[in-house]
Amino acid sequence: DGAKCKVLIRSGHVLNFTLLHSMMLHNGTRIEANIVSQAGINDFKKSGEEDFQLFPKCYFTTLLAHLDVDTVYSNKMTPKRKALDWLLSDKSSYSECDNPFFIERYALAASYYSMLGNLTLPIDLPDGMERHESQCIWPFVTCSSGHVVTLNLNGNQLSGTIPTELAMMTKLTSLDLRENQLSGTIP
């Protein structure tokens, strides 16, 4: 559950392989055959090596309504995937599934990556995000009782579509997106 893995395949033949991740969630929902990785070995004298990391089952349980389980592993460039990778890289307790603010933390990260638009990554994350600190001390967030209530992204050169993940922050009462190049409706 959340393990970092490496598959090493040595073959004297042409070989194509697919790594799958299937699981049964605690609520009885079965997630079938998520493609973790697909690769091939096309030279008789080569070997194949594939690094990957499984997402913890609790990520799927908690965020199932917000993830495309068919592509979550295969498309590493989506804002949702970048947010999941960011959560996985966090060794603090703030990004653990049992943290009461886990969903808001995911929503903030997915929204942030989504609103970067066409900027090339890697980019410098805001200080609090970079250090994986509590989202309540990030420079553009204000919290009340640990919940995000204000998100001030005024003038941050953001572009793209206003992310639907903003709706996951159920206590959000103030949102400032002025002086950016964002389009769409606020969820």
Side-chain angles (χ1 to χ4, degrees):
D1 202 27
K4 289 185 179 183
C5 306
K6 181 181 286 199
V7 173
L8 177 62
I9 299 174
R10 293 193 173 112
S11 174
H13 305 285
V14 173
L15 176 67
N16 291 312
F17 61 91
T18 301
L19 302 173
L20 302 173
H21 183 201
S22 296
M23 70 185 88
M24 179 72 73
L25 300 181
H26 300 295
N27 65 5
T29 303
R30 181 159 187 82
I31 297 179
E32 293 290 339
N34 295 296
I35 296 175
V36 175
S37 181
Q38 290 181 308
I41 304 168
N42 297 314
D43 187 332
F44 290 106
K45 296 179 182 172
K46 288 195 173 187
S47 63
E49 186 172 292
E50 187 70 20
D51 291 315
F52 62 93
Q53 183 166 8
L54 296 176
F55 294 118
K57 185 187 287 188
C58 65
Y59 281 29
F60 290 100
T61 304
T62 307
L63 301 170
L64 185 60
H66 308 285
L67 298 175
D68 180 354
V69 295
D70 294 324
T71 62
V72 70
Y73 282 111
S74 59
N75 191 347
K76 297 178 180 180
M77 297 309 293
T78 67
K80 291 178 182 191
R81 172 58 189 265
K82 290 174 186 175
L84 290 173
D85 288 340
W86 178 81
L87 288 169
L88 275 174
S89 70
D90 184 2
K91 303 305 178 213
S92 75
S93 62
Y94 296 119
S95 293
E96 292 178 2
C97 293
D98 58 355
N99 184 298
F101 309 110
F102 173 78
I103 291 175
E104 288 185 3
R105 197 164 172 85
Y106 166 79
L108 281 167
S111 296
Y112 189 81
Y113 284 121
S114 179
M115 290 186 288
L116 291 176
N118 296 325
L119 293 177
T120 305
L121 295 178
I123 56 118
D124 290 333
L125 294 173
D127 287 340
M129 284 183 75
E130 181 67 34
R131 292 190 304 268
H132 293 286
E133 294 172 334
S134 167
Q135 60 275 15
C136 294
I137 63 170
W138 296 356
F140 52 90
V141 173
T142 304
C143 293
S144 176
S145 300
H147 290 282
V148 176
V149 293
T150 301
L151 192 56
N152 183 355
L153 296 169
N154 182 8
N156 280 308
Q157 300 175 341
L158 302 173
S159 64
T161 304
I162 296 172
T164 59
E165 287 81 10
L166 291 174
M168 296 170 72
M169 292 179 270
T170 58
K171 304 290 186 189
L172 185 65
T173 57
S174 177
L175 175 65
D176 189 348
L177 300 174
R178 290 176 294 148
E179 298 184 39
N180 289 295
Q181 300 298 312
L182 297 166
S183 62
T185 58
I186 296 173

